[in-house]
Amino acid sequence: MLQDLENNFSELEKKIAGLQKSHRNLTEKFSELNTEHEELKRRYDEERKRNQVLAEEQKHIKLYSAISGNPEHNRLMKNHINRLVKEIDFCIAQLQNSGL
C-alpha cells in the first residue's frame, strides 16, 4: 500500500513537472504573440495614416486637375466652388447676426 502511494505521488510529481513546463512554454509563446501583436498594431496604424495622406493627396490632385481645365473633373470643381460659396454665405450670415 505504501509503495502504491509512492508510485502515485511520483506520477503526480511528473505530471506537475510536465504541466509547469507546458505553462512556461505557453507563457513564452503568449509573450511572443503579444509582442508580434503590438508590432502589427503599430504597422497597421502607420499604414492607415499613410492611406489617409494618399487619399488626401489624390483629392488634391483631382482638384488641381479640375482647376487646370481637365474636362473629366469639371463636376468636381463645380462642387468644390459651390461648397466654398456656401461656406462664405454661412460666414457672412454669422457676421450679420453678430452685428458686425
Side-chain angles (χ1 to χ4, degrees):
M1 174 134 175
L2 184 59
Q3 185 64 28
D4 290 337
L5 288 175
E6 287 179 1
N7 287 341
N8 287 341
F9 184 72
S10 178
E11 287 182 36
L12 284 173
E13 284 180 325
K14 288 177 185 177
K15 287 181 181 180
I16 289 172
L19 288 172
Q20 286 175 333
K21 183 178 178 181
S22 294
H23 181 264
R24 278 191 303 272
N25 290 340
L26 289 173
T27 302
E28 289 173 8
K29 185 67 174 175
F30 175 78
S31 179
E32 291 171 10
L33 289 173
N34 197 27
T35 302
E36 183 181 351
H37 176 262
E38 292 299 322
E39 174 64 20
L40 289 172
K41 193 164 61 168
R42 183 190 61 78
R43 285 179 33 202
Y44 170 77
D45 288 340
E46 287 175 0
E47 289 297 321
R48 192 184 64 201
K49 288 176 186 175
R50 184 172 168 260
N51 188 26
Q52 289 173 344
V53 168
L54 289 175
E56 196 64 31
E57 285 180 17
Q58 181 183 22
K59 183 178 167 184
H60 287 130
I61 289 171
K62 284 183 180 179
L63 184 60
Y64 295 143
S65 178
I67 290 171
S68 68
N70 186 339
E72 295 177 12
H73 297 106
N74 281 343
R75 183 173 178 200
L76 174 68
M77 185 61 188
K78 288 178 186 177
N79 289 340
H80 186 69
I81 291 172
N82 285 338
R83 200 170 44 246
L84 290 174
V85 169
K86 287 178 184 178
E87 189 174 328
I88 291 170
D89 287 342
F90 179 74
C91 292
I92 291 171
Q94 281 186 327
L95 288 172
Q96 288 174 345
N97 288 339
S98 68
L100 296 177

